[in-house]
Amino acid sequence: MKTGKIETSAAPGTNETVRNIIIFDTTLRDGEQAPGCSMNPREKLEVARRLEKLGVDVIEAGFPASSPGDLESVKAIAEIVKDSTVAGLCRSLEKDIDAGREALKKAVCPRIHIFLATSPVHMKWKLKMTEDQVLEQTAAAVRYAKKFCSDIEFSAEDAFRSDPGFVCAVFGAAIKAGALTVNFPDTVGYAMPGEFGERIRYVRDHTPGMEKARLSVHCHNDLGLAVANSLAAIVSGADQAECTLNGIGERAGNASLEEIVMSLRLRKESLKADTRIDATQIYGASRLVSQVTGVKVQPNKAIVGENAFVHEAGIHQHGVMANRETYEIMTPESVGISKNQMILGKHSGRHAFEDRLKLLGFSVDGETMEKIFAEFKDLADKKKTVSDRDIEALVMGAAAAPETWKLDHWAVNTGSALGASGTIRLQHKDGAYRKLVSLGDGPIDSIYKAINQIIGREPELELYEIGAITGGSASQGETMVKIVWDDRRYNGRGVSTDVIESSIKAYLAAVNAMEYELARQTGSNE
Ligand code: KIV
Ligand code: ZN
């Protein structure tokens, strides 16, 4: 098992040992639980596959007791992932641990991750428990989980705002009961790097039995310091860093995987630590998460932002042209951004298409390949060249929820003096067609109203965003939509050379995700 022991190796060109830091990715749990970052089960599987390819040591796949849907997703991920440990989060309750055990039963390397808060504010107001009760419940929960799973992680929620001596006692109890990893979260992102590093050193030196377990950190980004705090902790001896792709997560997010990994990779001699991550997979994985969540990466985001390798100032351009090292500390290629690629177009064959998919990090089954290759040919007929972004859009379209409602055709009438009217004909999965005409405040509003009348629901439209995939008037329009129904959010993406059509496709994708979930809740998807 990859995460079985802490390995060390010598850094190239030095005699110093470089520790291997375990990368625990929680994009599918802490990331996914953030507002607006929800993913459907197929999307979660696609992300899990990509995390495995990236080489993350531990994939936290979800919180099985939080909903039947989450349990099913963790189960499905546990079945397909072979090269990473798969973790499920559980409160320190037997019923949660039972759900975790059930979800992880097919995993090659399962990990049950139990948490309980240790800070005065959480114990008093949330848990209504004393320190003694927290100590007792920690030990009992770890002992219970240990009966089913050897790899147990225990997290002291809000550890940074907890009494350090108490955290050491709780960690000691967890280790004594069998935890192999103890995790120290800065749940509210309050720590400063210097003090966080010191605290980690204190915990490492004062936790009874610490030599038998790994010490992990989990930092939130409320003050923009999650990565800095994680690195300070690593310098102080932390063995595992918990993080998410693109730094998505509750509130201001979690420590970003790509920033931790590239900091370690580039500065391993100074930090005396590195990871096993295949950095060339970073960009593709980041794109995938952004596509499935609909959460765009800020342009100036380190490593994966659109501008991360763009030089605008003349003096910088001049320097980079003479030698890239003048203004670049890493190459775009080292994180998987490839600039010199063959252009695909209508004469490109299946081989070239499949090769490009592989290069972009997608592994697609035979049936899906047939579907997206046909769509690629259609698109290549409409556009001269098909970009990597276009191809990503095709693959992501195939990973969307099954179509309860399929677009048959549409038309809109609009103008500056008149309101708009939209006509739409949809086909239900049972084969029947429904057609409706509706008036609205513009073409999109009229069409969305017509769709709502056909499906018999009026979800709230929380987000509607439209952009172009690449430049030029032949570019495809890309629409992102988030709808809310029954307090749940559903994302939809639509891509078309016609912006109204891309808007319709996005709305229908979100509607289909909603219908799929509602049918799943009543058991009618089987
Ligand atoms: O932020 C946090 O404290 C967590 C724990 C559940 C690990 O996400
Ligand atoms: Zn967290």
Side-chain angles (χ1 to χ4, degrees):
M1 175 163 112
K2 267 184 148 187
T3 55
K5 65 180 171 52
I6 302 159
E7 290 165 16
T8 57
S9 62
T14 73
N15 291 325
E16 307 244 31
T17 48
V18 167
R19 295 182 310 130
N20 177 58
I21 300 303
I22 293 161
I23 295 296
F24 176 115
D25 178 276
T26 183
T27 305
L28 293 168
R29 198 279 297 170
D30 222 347
E32 207 259 350
Q33 106 195 18
C37 290
S38 56
M39 305 173 209
N40 71 36
R42 287 159 173 240
E43 292 165 340
K44 285 186 190 171
L45 270 183
E46 194 62 43
V47 172
R49 277 198 195 98
R50 197 62 77 88
L51 290 169
E52 188 180 21
K53 200 173 226 171
L54 186 61
V56 308
D57 299 286
V58 187
I59 299 173
E60 185 162 58
F63 185 172
S66 67
S67 72
D70 232 53
L71 192 145
E72 286 312 313
S73 287
V74 177
K75 211 182 220 174
I77 292 168
E79 275 181 33
I80 60 147
V81 169
K82 306 287 177 239
D83 291 335
S84 308
T85 292
V86 179
L89 183 71
C90 308
R91 286 167 298 181
S92 50
L93 302 172
E94 289 192 0
K95 66 176 173 120
D96 275 37
I97 295 166
D98 289 340
R101 172 192 178 193
E102 163 68 16
L104 294 170
K105 67 182 178 207
K106 298 243 173 87
V108 174
C109 298
R111 175 179 293 188
I112 290 186
H113 177 192
I114 298 167
F115 73 99
L116 188 58
T118 50
S119 65
V121 64
H122 276 240
M123 289 191 290
K124 178 168 180 199
W125 296 102
K126 189 180 82 175
L127 300 174
K128 304 193 189 335
M129 284 168 78
T130 63
E131 287 193 348
D132 283 349
Q133 287 169 323
V134 166
L135 268 169
E136 214 169 282
Q137 190 160 323
T138 299
V142 174
R143 226 179 288 120
Y144 182 71
K146 194 75 181 176
K147 289 196 231 162
F148 318 115
C149 183
S150 64
D151 188 356
I152 307 295
E153 170 167 339
F154 175 80
S155 285
E157 191 188 9
D158 205 14
F160 183 71
R161 292 192 302 169
S162 306
D163 175 74
F166 180 55
V167 174
C168 292
V170 173
F171 278 177
I175 295 169
K176 192 164 171 220
L180 298 182
T181 303
V182 284
N183 179 38
F184 190 99
D186 179 17
T187 302
V188 292
Y190 185 65
M192 294 289 124
E195 59 183 353
F196 197 66
E198 268 171 37
R199 188 72 66 86
I200 291 304
R201 198 177 299 281
Y202 176 89
V203 169
R204 202 193 58 186
D205 292 345
H206 292 86
T207 294
M210 196 62 243
E211 67 289 351
K212 288 189 250 151
R214 294 190 203 97
L215 182 54
S216 166
V217 287
H218 174 113
C219 298
H220 279 267
N221 205 30
D222 299 66
L223 291 171
L225 294 170
V227 171
N229 288 338
S230 306
L231 294 174
I234 287 168
V235 171
S236 291
D239 307 296
Q240 171 176 291
E242 303 198 350
C243 45
T244 60
L245 281 163
N246 301 340
I248 64 168
E250 289 281 13
R251 309 179 308 279
N254 288 57
S256 122
L257 178 147
E258 57 278 10
E259 293 175 22
I260 292 181
V261 167
M262 290 316 287
S263 298
L264 291 172
R265 186 66 35 95
L266 262 65
R267 304 303 313 275
K268 61 174 167 261
E269 275 145 39
S270 148
L271 300 170
K272 311 236 176 331
D274 196 359
T275 74
R276 293 192 189 89
I277 296 293
D278 174 0
T280 63
Q281 295 292 324
I282 285 180
Y283 185 66
S286 154
R287 290 281 315 150
L288 178 69
V289 168
S290 165
Q291 294 282 306
V292 299
T293 57
V295 176
K296 292 214 166 99
V297 172
Q298 76 195 59
N300 60 330
K301 166 86 175 61
I303 324 289
V304 293
E306 215 171 283
N307 296 345
F309 295 95
V310 173
H311 305 276
E312 188 70 33
I315 193 164
H316 287 205
Q317 288 175 348
H318 181 75
V320 169
M321 267 150 44
N323 182 338
R324 280 170 104 158
E325 282 181 25
T326 49
Y327 287 100
E328 276 183 8
I329 57 168
M330 65 193 127
T331 62
E333 291 78 10
S334 67
V335 296
I337 303 172
S338 175
K339 288 192 172 147
N340 305 317
Q341 282 179 355
M342 263 186 348
I343 296 206
L344 294 186
K346 67 179 186 181
H347 299 299
S348 304
R350 201 184 166 106
H351 260 312
F353 182 69
E354 287 187 8
D355 279 354
R356 181 59 58 84
L357 282 184
K358 259 196 223 130
L359 206 77
L360 293 173
F362 291 109
S363 40
V364 175
D365 64 44
E367 202 181 314
T368 313
M369 180 64 81
E370 289 305 322
K371 182 170 181 278
I372 55 178
F373 185 63
E375 287 172 359
F376 160 72
K377 281 290 186 189
D378 269 0
L379 182 61
D381 267 344
K382 288 188 199 145
K383 284 182 84 202
K384 262 210 200 102
T385 56
V386 178
S387 69
D388 287 350
R389 292 279 178 99
D390 292 323
I391 294 173
E392 272 175 9
L394 294 178
V395 184
M396 295 323 299
E403 291 178 310
T404 303
W405 294 101
K406 197 173 176 167
L407 177 62
D408 182 45
H409 73 244
W410 61 272
V412 288
N413 252 317
T414 189
S416 57
L418 302 163
S421 74
T423 306
I424 191 141
R425 196 165 99 126
L426 303 180
Q427 186 180 23
H428 190 257
K429 65 179 179 192
D430 65 14
Y433 287 90
R434 297 277 323 271
K435 181 173 172 183
L436 241 147
V437 183
S438 180
L439 298 177
D441 236 354
I444 308 297
D445 185 53
S446 67
I447 287 273
Y448 284 9
K449 280 188 172 138
I451 294 176
N452 287 349
Q453 285 178 57
I454 291 178
I455 66 170
R457 293 184 222 278
E458 226 177 288
E460 179 199 335
L461 180 63
E462 190 182 71
L463 176 114
Y464 170 84
E465 238 173 46
I466 188 151
I469 287 192
T470 45
S473 58
S475 169
Q476 298 213 90
E478 180 184 41
T479 308
M480 282 301 315
V481 155
K482 274 188 216 296
I483 59 174
V484 185
W485 179 258
D486 252 356
D487 283 338
R488 276 193 72 128
R489 289 176 171 75
Y490 302 92
N491 300 333
R493 288 182 67 253
V495 173
S496 168
T497 46
D498 184 299
V499 290
I500 295 180
E501 188 161 293
S502 78
S503 305
I504 298 172
K505 284 182 169 175
Y507 195 69
L508 277 182
V511 162
N512 284 329
M514 170 183 75
E515 295 293 354
Y516 187 70
E517 172 59 19
L518 296 176
R520 197 195 56 73
Q521 285 169 11
T522 57
S524 49
N525 276 337
E526 283 84 45

